[in-house]
Amino acid sequence: MSLTVLHVEAGRHLYGGALQVRYLIEGLSKRGVINILVCPHGAALGRAVEPSGAQVHELPMSGELDLGAVGRLRRLIRQVQPDLVHLHSRRGADVFGGVAARLCRVPAVVSRRVDNPERAWVARLKYRLFHRVITISQAIREVLVREGVPADKVVCVPSAVDVAAYGGACDGSVLREVLGFSGDETVVGVIAQLIPRKGHRYLLEAAPRILQAHPGVRFVFFGQGPQEGEIRELVSRLGLDAHVLLAGFRDDLPRILPCLDLVVHPVEMEGLGVSLLQAGAAGVPMVGARAGGVPEILGDDAGLLVPPGDVPALTEAVLCLLDDPDLRRHLGRAARERVSRRFSLDAMVEGNLAIYREVIGQDARPDGP
């Protein structure tokens, strides 16, 4: 059947959730779905999906206090008349989009990408707006069900990665060209926004002991965020300026990742961990915190898991892999196989499409009057 879906994504940069929306829209377009994207003015996602044939509408999106978003989205929904609205991000886009869809009597689904808990009464009230809540990991689904959201309303469709894009061999010149390295370093990467819950400080606290055993290690933080100044200050305070590089946001990770020796993900909370999917697709061995959906990627011996915030355990896990090249190779192969099997683009697109068809095939509206 012909299907038109209006997607709402408030992210301005093409990583994390916005990148998943791009993958979804491109996959849906190949399957004959008409896609309409609502995003902020100048968002990178809007430019990225235009070649797929998506209609892009840029609207002001100012967060959770932007009550005018309801009216703007309501007018657009009435104009384009989609079969379904898919809200992809928070910051007001979920609730306001759900209200607008309900006012227009169009079914709506919402993606939930984070595992931080909400007050139970807020969760039960908010998710009444939607026919389905799509979580990117089982860990997030369990959080919502514990908060009282009906289990049959919450469906897990894991995030995905373009495995083929990360499957190339390491070009030995990349680390010299991109990072300014000589090529003799052992490179340990962290790929995450520079925000507190990503746990960069735990790896920095572990770094002195790691460097005692492996002085040739260089730690590279890929990403940007409001904690950059604090991280730079901590690097200096620990005397790590010669060993830590803040590389910023990179759009050439498919070239860089195959050249890393190890990826560390020392998070306190994590919905799933798309950067781990990217590293796994590149066959890079990984150490991750046992938080949120991370074990769903690194389980079955596809990586080493440590308790969140446990610096001694993190130190030992990193040293274990740096000391054992054979184990690194084994984990890298296992990670690539697991990511290829469980987190493919086709599986993610088909999972969302199946939910759309199920919802549209129902006569019932969301819970409540």
Side-chain angles (χ1 to χ4, degrees):
M1 63 178 177
S2 177
L3 180 62
T4 299
V5 179
L6 185 142
H7 305 267
V8 183
E9 168 57 55
R12 296 182 179 276
H13 304 288
L14 198 55
Y15 53 70
L19 183 60
Q20 293 298 308
V21 178
R22 175 186 181 174
Y23 290 151
L24 177 60
I25 287 176
E26 290 173 345
L28 291 172
S29 295
K30 292 176 182 177
R31 291 160 172 80
V33 175
I34 298 170
N35 296 283
I36 302 165
L37 171 67
V38 180
C39 61
H41 292 285
L45 177 61
R47 298 187 297 274
V49 300
E50 284 179 343
S52 71
Q55 303 172 33
V56 178
H57 295 263
E58 296 183 337
L59 294 180
M61 302 178 75
S62 304
E64 296 178 355
L65 300 179
D66 184 11
L67 297 177
V70 173
R72 292 191 292 272
L73 290 170
R74 182 184 184 187
R75 286 190 292 273
L76 181 60
I77 292 169
R78 286 180 168 172
Q79 173 189 334
V80 302
Q81 297 186 336
D83 299 297
L84 180 137
V85 174
H86 189 160
L87 291 313
H88 292 277
S89 59
R90 301 169 69 203
R91 289 182 289 180
D94 52 358
V95 173
F96 295 152
V99 171
R102 171 170 285 206
L103 291 172
C104 296
R105 297 183 177 274
V106 175
V109 301
V110 63
S111 287
R112 170 88 173 175
R113 302 186 181 278
V114 294
D115 64 336
N116 52 297
E118 300 173 286
R119 293 179 180 176
W121 70 268
V122 172
R124 288 194 297 268
L125 182 63
K126 179 168 78 171
Y127 294 113
R128 285 164 63 99
L129 291 168
F130 309 106
H131 285 70
R132 293 290 184 277
V133 184
I134 305 171
T135 67
I136 64 169
S137 69
Q138 289 292 344
I140 301 174
R141 182 180 185 277
E142 291 167 7
V143 168
L144 294 179
V145 172
R146 284 198 302 269
E147 292 172 346
V149 182
D152 59 356
K153 176 175 278 193
V154 189
V155 184
C156 176
V157 179
S159 292
V161 65
D162 184 355
V163 174
Y166 293 87
C170 172
D171 176 351
S173 66
V174 167
L175 296 184
R176 292 192 297 272
E177 294 174 0
V178 175
L179 305 179
F181 289 168
S182 68
D184 296 327
E185 298 87 353
T186 299
V187 185
V188 176
V190 178
I191 309 153
Q193 295 182 68
L194 305 183
I195 55 178
R197 67 183 176 88
K198 296 298 183 179
H200 296 82
R201 64 189 179 279
Y202 301 126
L203 182 58
L204 291 175
E205 291 172 10
R209 186 174 165 207
I210 295 169
L211 289 166
Q212 266 188 332
H214 294 272
V217 166
R218 296 296 180 268
F219 301 96
V220 184
F221 293 173
F222 298 96
Q224 59 191 13
Q227 207 185 15
E228 180 176 343
E230 295 176 37
I231 290 175
R232 290 189 184 278
E233 181 182 342
L234 181 57
V235 168
S236 295
R237 189 162 70 245
L238 294 172
L240 298 172
D241 298 86
H243 301 277
V244 178
L245 172 65
L246 272 63
F249 171 72
R250 305 289 311 191
D251 59 7
D252 53 354
L253 285 178
R255 293 181 63 220
I256 297 172
L257 282 181
C259 297
L260 302 187
D261 296 285
L262 180 63
V263 162
V264 179
H265 203 57
V267 293
E268 296 174 345
M269 305 177 71
E270 186 64 275
L272 182 62
V274 171
S275 64
L276 293 180
L277 298 182
Q278 295 167 330
V284 183
M286 294 175 282
V287 175
R290 192 181 295 277
V294 172
E296 296 173 37
I297 301 174
L298 299 188
D300 296 336
D301 298 322
L304 300 185
L305 289 163
V306 300
D310 190 331
V311 174
L314 179 64
T315 305
E316 291 303 321
V318 172
L319 287 174
C320 174
L321 290 185
L322 294 179
D323 290 339
D324 192 339
D326 289 337
L327 180 58
R328 292 205 305 272
R329 284 190 288 271
H330 169 75
L331 291 180
R333 289 192 295 268
R336 181 185 288 123
E337 190 279 331
R338 184 174 177 84
V339 168
S340 300
R341 176 168 43 87
R342 298 191 57 179
F343 300 95
S344 71
L345 295 181
D346 281 341
M348 184 270 287
V349 173
E350 289 293 338
N352 280 275
L353 186 55
I355 293 169
Y356 297 167
R357 288 171 171 157
E358 179 184 3
V359 167
I360 291 172
Q362 294 178 338
D363 294 327
R365 296 173 56 201
D367 302 337

